[in-house]
């Protein structure tokens, strides 16, 4: 009887997933809801998110998401995401009042925080109470803002974020990050805050079964399609990538370049025009996330150059798992040790300096990886090491530790 009561109590513990990223965004579709659908088989889940106006207005889209969440018994409450600072503050205040009321009513709730900003919703009670918190910090968010969005140091906002970071690390029972390099840096910098804490490395996985390995017949190694997947984010150096693609086109006359993006393509067009890249060599594809697997079937090599800085050491770009899931080798720079180690130890691509004097040698190595046999091995690696089921299993271990 005692065992039954404990099991009933544990199964009814509530896990609240808090995210400032919208589950209606491409990132939410690939890196939030698939994990929660898997976890919902065992756990009582509710999502709190901030959703963009254009997504909320799409009635058919939002109803489809609500239906799918309902099928998995996942409850969902969202707030509106505003660019206007005053409207954003109002929405956050509403969310803070709601979450703090929940804490007062039920202190047994387990909060799964996705990244730093959403931790603000636990103020002020997080300062005074012992809460159940999973801090899914992902990357180094403060450094990302400095490296990519011009967050100024020596401002009150910057010092508040440093305080928030230490508070979340100190108050959380489990801390999740994307790379082993980040885990090492956290242990080194925050020794006091992370004592007796569970540090978990959990990459960005993909639903590998949605991506197919397509066998190429009569493979012409001069007719290669390079794929750039993603937006014009400051995390990446688009100009450096375009310059090396221009050099590649001189060596491989029939090389094609596909730019698969989910935002406005004005930046791409502007930079491509400035570099005088032949229009017959490239195509731009502004698509939804669910369309990515089909378009990747038409590509042979994934390529990108990530800006090297502090924040990138804690990054594991989603595109890596998606490239490998399609059986594609990658050409990228040495931006963090985790990614470089995976690529080099498993022969999944090449680490390039993206310099003109090395490109011929880089291409020679790359072309050797394009056999059907090797591409099949890349797909096999993804299925067995980067499938989302692995991520769900790791989250399951974290969740079960709270029961």
């Amino acid at each position: 009887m005692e065992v039954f009561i404990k099991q009933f109590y544990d199964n009814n513990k509530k896990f609240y997933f808090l995210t400032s990223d919208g589950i209606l965004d491409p990132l939410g579709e690939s890196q939030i809801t698939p994990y929660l659908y898997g976890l919902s088989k065992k756990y009582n889940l509710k999502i709190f998110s901030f959703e963009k106006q254009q997504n909320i207005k799409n009635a058919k889209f939002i109803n489809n998401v609500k239906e799918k969440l309902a099928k998995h018994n996942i409850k969902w409450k969202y707030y509106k995401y505003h660019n206007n600072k005053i409207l954003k503050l109002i929405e956050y205040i509403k969310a803070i009042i709601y979450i703090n009321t929940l804490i007062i009513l039920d202190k047994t709730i387990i909060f799964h925080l996705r990244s730093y900003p959403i931790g603000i919703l636990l103020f002020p009670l997080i300062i005074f109470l012992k809460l159940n918190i999973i801090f899914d910090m992902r990357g180094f968010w403060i450094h990302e803002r400095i490296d990519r969005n011009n967050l100024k140091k020596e401002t009150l906002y910057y010092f508040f974020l440093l305080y928030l970071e230490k508070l979340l690390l100190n108050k959380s029972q489990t801390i999740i990050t994307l790379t082993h390099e980040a885990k090492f840096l956290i242990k080194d910098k925050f020794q006091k805050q992370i004592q007796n804490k569970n540090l978990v490395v959990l990459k960005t996985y993909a639903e590998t079964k949605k991506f197919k390995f397509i066998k190429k017949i009569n493979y012409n190694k001069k007719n290669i399609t390079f794929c750039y997947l993603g937006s014009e984010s400051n995390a990446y150096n688009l100009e450096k990538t375009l310059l090396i693609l221009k050099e590649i086109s001189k060596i491989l006359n029939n090389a094609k370049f596909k730019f698969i993006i989910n935002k406005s393509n004005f930046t791409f067009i502007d930079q491509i025009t400035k570099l005088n890249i032949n229009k017959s060599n490239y195509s731009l594809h502004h698509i939804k996330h669910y369309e990515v697997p089909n378009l990747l079937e038409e590509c042979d090599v994934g390529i990108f150059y990530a800006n090297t800085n502090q924040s990138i050491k804690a990054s594991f770009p989603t595109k890596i798992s998606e490239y490998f899931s399609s059986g594609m080798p990658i050409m990228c720079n040495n931006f963090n040790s985790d990614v470089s180690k995976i690529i080099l130890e498993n022969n999944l691509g090449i680490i390039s300096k993206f310099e003109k004097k090395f490109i011929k040698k880089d291409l020679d190595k790359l072309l050797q990886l394009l056999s059907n046999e090797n591409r099949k091995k890349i797909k096999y690696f993804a299925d067995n090491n980067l499938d989302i089921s692995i991520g769900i299993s790791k989250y399951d271990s974290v969740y079960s530790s709270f029961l």
Side-chain angles (χ1 to χ4, degrees):
M1 184 66 178
E2 183 179 345
V3 173
F4 172 78
I5 293 173
K6 182 181 186 303
Q7 184 178 3
F8 177 82
Y9 173 76
D10 288 346
N11 289 342
N12 281 273
K13 278 194 173 181
K14 302 179 186 70
F15 287 84
Y16 285 180
F17 186 91
L18 277 55
T19 173
S20 53
D21 296 307
I23 66 170
L24 301 176
D25 290 333
L27 183 145
E29 290 182 80
S30 67
Q31 291 301 313
I32 296 179
T33 50
Y35 296 93
L36 298 180
Y37 292 148
L39 291 168
S40 68
K41 296 174 183 177
K42 290 179 63 175
Y43 303 102
N44 187 344
L45 300 177
K46 184 170 183 176
I47 302 172
F48 291 84
S49 64
F50 285 82
E51 304 294 338
K52 296 183 177 66
Q53 299 276 24
Q54 64 267 29
N55 292 331
I56 297 171
K57 289 178 181 178
N58 189 335
K60 184 178 179 180
F61 178 39
I62 197 169
N63 285 334
N64 286 340
V65 173
K66 285 180 178 179
E67 287 177 9
K68 197 167 184 180
L69 290 170
K71 285 180 181 178
H72 289 86
N73 296 313
I74 299 175
K75 296 178 182 178
W76 178 35
K77 183 176 179 61
Y78 67 83
Y79 295 88
K80 294 177 183 177
Y81 175 85
H82 296 281
N83 289 317
N84 180 284
K85 291 183 179 179
I86 295 176
L87 293 177
K88 182 184 287 187
L89 178 61
I90 291 171
E91 285 296 299
Y92 262 85
I93 290 173
K94 286 161 58 178
I96 287 169
I97 292 171
Y98 189 90
I99 294 296
N100 276 262
T101 302
L102 290 176
I103 293 172
I104 292 169
L105 295 174
D106 186 357
K107 296 183 181 64
T108 66
I109 293 170
I110 298 100
F111 291 101
H112 183 166
L113 309 180
R114 191 181 196 279
S115 194
Y116 293 54
I118 203 67
I120 294 170
L121 300 193
L122 300 183
F123 274 85
L125 293 182
I126 186 176
I127 300 172
F128 310 106
L129 300 178
K130 178 176 171 56
L131 304 178
N132 301 303
I133 300 174
I134 301 166
F135 182 24
D136 200 345
M137 66 188 299
R138 318 302 292 168
F140 295 146
W141 192 83
I142 299 174
H143 287 287
E144 286 178 9
R145 303 281 77 73
I146 294 170
D147 296 334
R148 307 173 192 178
N149 292 346
N150 299 317
L151 170 64
K152 303 296 183 184
K153 293 183 178 181
E154 310 305 325
T155 62
L156 287 176
Y157 182 52
Y158 171 72
F159 286 112
F160 169 74
L161 290 176
L162 292 180
Y163 167 74
L164 175 64
E165 180 179 51
K166 286 187 177 180
L167 181 66
L168 291 175
L169 288 170
N170 188 49
K171 290 283 187 171
S172 301
Q173 287 77 36
T174 298
I175 299 154
I176 300 173
T177 190
L178 298 174
T179 68
H180 290 90
E181 188 170 6
K183 181 177 178 179
F184 173 80
L185 292 170
I186 293 166
K187 283 185 173 181
D188 183 58
K189 185 178 179 180
F190 300 102
Q191 294 180 21
K192 182 179 179 181
Q193 286 78 18
I194 64 166
Q195 285 183 5
N196 303 318
K197 302 296 175 67
N198 181 27
L199 266 69
V200 178
V201 175
L202 201 153
K203 306 181 189 72
T204 45
Y205 297 88
E207 294 179 89
T208 61
K209 292 179 179 60
K210 289 185 176 181
F211 298 81
K212 297 178 182 177
F213 166 74
I214 303 298
K215 187 176 181 179
K216 308 277 182 169
I217 300 173
N218 298 324
Y219 212 108
N220 181 355
K221 290 189 176 181
K222 288 192 176 182
N223 190 15
I224 308 298
T225 299
F226 290 79
C227 172
Y228 181 96
L229 176 60
S231 62
E232 58 269 27
S233 166
N234 291 333
Y236 302 97
N237 191 321
L238 178 58
E239 182 179 8
K240 205 168 182 73
T241 305
L242 291 173
L243 283 170
I244 214 65
L245 288 176
K246 189 173 182 179
E247 292 302 318
I248 289 172
S249 68
K250 294 176 183 178
I251 300 170
L252 302 176
N253 297 327
N254 296 322
K256 302 293 181 184
F257 314 125
K258 284 187 186 294
F259 299 97
I260 305 175
I261 57 179
N262 54 37
K263 293 183 180 179
S264 165
N265 54 20
F266 295 119
T267 301
F268 284 81
I269 293 174
D270 184 51
Q271 293 205 41
I272 290 170
T273 302
K274 285 180 180 178
L275 293 171
N276 296 315
I277 295 178
N278 193 320
K279 289 184 178 180
S280 64
N281 284 104
Y282 72 88
S283 58
L284 287 164
H285 305 267
H286 188 186
I287 64 174
K288 302 293 185 183
H289 180 264
Y290 68 84
E291 299 174 296
V292 170
N294 289 337
L295 204 50
L296 288 186
E297 290 178 15
E298 303 172 14
C299 304
D300 303 300
V301 178
I303 187 169
F304 65 92
Y305 185 98
N307 290 317
T308 53
N309 46 46
Q310 180 73 1
S311 62
I312 206 69
K313 296 180 185 300
S315 175
F316 196 95
T318 308
K319 67 184 76 178
I320 291 177
S321 296
E322 294 178 339
Y323 284 145
F324 291 155
S325 297
S326 301
M328 295 166 57
I330 288 177
M331 178 177 175
C332 68
N333 60 313
N334 182 20
F335 62 93
N336 80 30
S337 61
D338 283 58
V339 174
S340 294
K341 184 178 180 181
I342 287 173
I343 290 173
L344 296 176
E345 287 188 354
N346 298 283
N347 203 28
L348 304 175
I350 63 166
I351 303 299
S352 171
K353 293 184 178 180
F354 280 65
E355 294 179 11
K356 183 178 178 179
K357 61 183 177 180
F358 298 119
I359 191 59
K360 179 67 169 64
K361 188 177 180 181
D362 288 341
L363 280 178
D364 288 341
K365 292 179 182 177
L366 189 62
L367 293 176
Q368 292 175 17
L369 300 176
L370 291 176
S371 68
N372 283 318
E373 182 183 358
N374 195 70
R375 290 172 57 249
K376 193 173 182 179
K377 287 179 181 177
I378 294 173
K379 170 64 174 169
Y380 181 83
F381 175 87
D383 289 343
N384 288 275
N385 295 276
L386 296 172
D387 184 67
I388 202 159
S389 61
I390 300 170
I392 292 170
S393 178
K394 288 193 173 186
Y395 273 129
D396 181 23
S397 296
V398 171
Y399 275 38
S400 64
S401 68
F402 283 84
L403 301 182

